[in-house]
Amino acid sequence: SPVSSFPDGLRAHMLLIPAIDLKDGHCVRLKQGDMDQSTTFGEEPDVMARSWVTKGARRLHLVDLNGAFAGHPKNEAAIRKILKQVGSEVDVQLGGGIRDLDTIERYLDAGLRYVIIGTAAVKNPGFLQDACTAFGGHIIVGLDAKDGKVATDGWSKLTRHDVVDLGKKFEDYGVESIIYTDIGRDGMLSGINIEATVKLAQALTIPVIASGGLSNMADIEALCDVEDEGIEGVICGRAIYSGDLDFAAAQARADELNG
């Protein structure tokens, strides 16, 4: 299986990436992508971002939830506050409603490191290709899937696209990495789908970031076991907000296992 994700035998430690989901300027968590099932966790997203960095986060994952449903940015003010607060210290990646090159350019200029393209990558591959050409090294694709098939539109539509086939196609376009979310598990604390994540990572040479269902330290240890397959990190959502997983302890454990 390809391990060229980590050139010359070098590899980064497993990244634990706290998710900050933004809705109406606040931090929330959704259950299985349902906007009506949201829990508000914090009023000030920049304060939340700072707290995760203080606990050892080396990258942050932002989602503009309103933007994802509207198809254009909706929480830009909150995102800019976060970038001002921590953007010079850690990499920040953002998804949700990014559908044109102007939006990408504006966010990168504001200090964002990676832009995540989800539904638009599947529905409008030409846009993804243009984005990779214009902003090489900054484009991540988010693939959401159930039973190996890709879903779009806030998970409301299952397509016939096979995850691995699409992943290979997007790799050819020049995307930096792929975030793979098992949408049957997201926000449910039911454990990462390691098998499906590894299967995708083995088929690609670009790194895969695991997402969906992270519930406890055992998940972190299981991911560290397969990191060499090309798994670069994991998005941490509900578990680190509910207290099921101590973020600082988990990142320290991952560093120790990869040490």
Side-chain angles (χ1 to χ4, degrees):
S1 62
V3 279
S4 49
S5 324
F6 305 112
D8 308 325
L10 296 173
R11 58 170 203 198
H13 288 317
M14 173 74 66
L15 288 170
L16 273 56
I17 310 171
I20 299 178
D21 289 358
L22 300 165
K23 182 184 175 191
D24 309 329
H26 304 311
C27 305
V28 301
R29 293 301 303 162
L30 303 187
K31 254 193 182 160
Q32 292 193 299
D34 183 350
M35 282 289 262
D36 296 327
Q37 291 196 60
S38 68
T39 313
T40 301
F41 277 104
E43 299 302 307
E44 299 296 333
D46 55 326
V47 175
M48 182 72 83
R50 165 61 54 207
S51 75
W52 292 126
V53 173
T54 304
K55 287 174 183 161
R58 298 193 279 271
R59 191 188 291 192
L60 295 176
H61 176 78
L62 310 184
V63 183
D64 180 346
L65 289 170
N66 306 95
F69 285 87
H72 53 90
K74 285 287 197 180
N75 284 282
E76 194 163 338
I79 290 157
R80 284 176 177 273
K81 271 176 88 172
I82 290 172
L83 291 172
K84 218 170 184 169
Q85 175 73 252
V86 301
S88 59
E89 297 164 57
V90 296
D91 288 338
V92 182
Q93 60 190 40
L94 166 72
I98 296 166
R99 304 274 193 276
D100 60 76
L101 298 179
D102 288 345
T103 301
I104 296 176
E105 186 166 27
R106 202 167 66 239
Y107 276 132
L108 293 179
D109 285 347
L112 193 73
R113 181 75 176 86
Y114 301 108
V115 165
I116 301 160
I117 300 175
T119 292
V122 183
K123 293 181 133 181
N124 185 359
F127 163 59
L128 179 65
Q129 231 167 345
D130 291 346
C132 289
T133 303
F135 308 108
H138 295 282
I139 306 299
I140 293 174
V141 165
L143 284 182
D144 305 326
K146 195 172 183 180
D147 305 324
K149 298 293 178 203
V150 173
T152 62
D153 298 283
W155 306 349
S156 55
K157 296 184 181 141
L158 265 185
T159 69
R160 292 195 202 130
H161 294 294
D162 178 80
V163 173
V164 170
D165 292 345
L166 265 189
K168 285 179 169 169
K169 180 172 151 184
F170 295 157
E171 176 175 43
D172 289 343
Y173 289 176
V175 305
E176 185 64 18
S177 55
I178 288 180
I179 296 171
Y180 175 72
T181 305
D182 186 313
I183 61 176
R185 300 181 185 223
D186 188 74
M188 304 304 283
L189 299 175
S190 57
I192 294 269
N193 189 337
I194 302 257
E195 193 185 345
T197 308
V198 166
K199 186 182 168 194
L200 178 62
Q202 285 175 337
L204 306 174
T205 58
I206 54 172
V208 171
I209 296 169
S211 167
L214 177 74
S215 56
N216 55 33
M217 195 71 93
D219 283 335
I220 299 295
E221 292 174 345
L223 280 167
C224 287
D225 279 348
V226 294
E227 185 195 12
D228 283 354
E229 303 290 358
I231 297 170
E232 176 179 45
V234 57
I235 310 281
C236 308
R238 186 169 284 273
I240 58 172
Y241 287 98
S242 63
D244 287 86
L245 183 68
D246 177 326
F247 178 81
Q251 183 63 74
R253 177 75 177 130
D255 290 346
E256 178 195 345
L257 286 170
N258 301 333

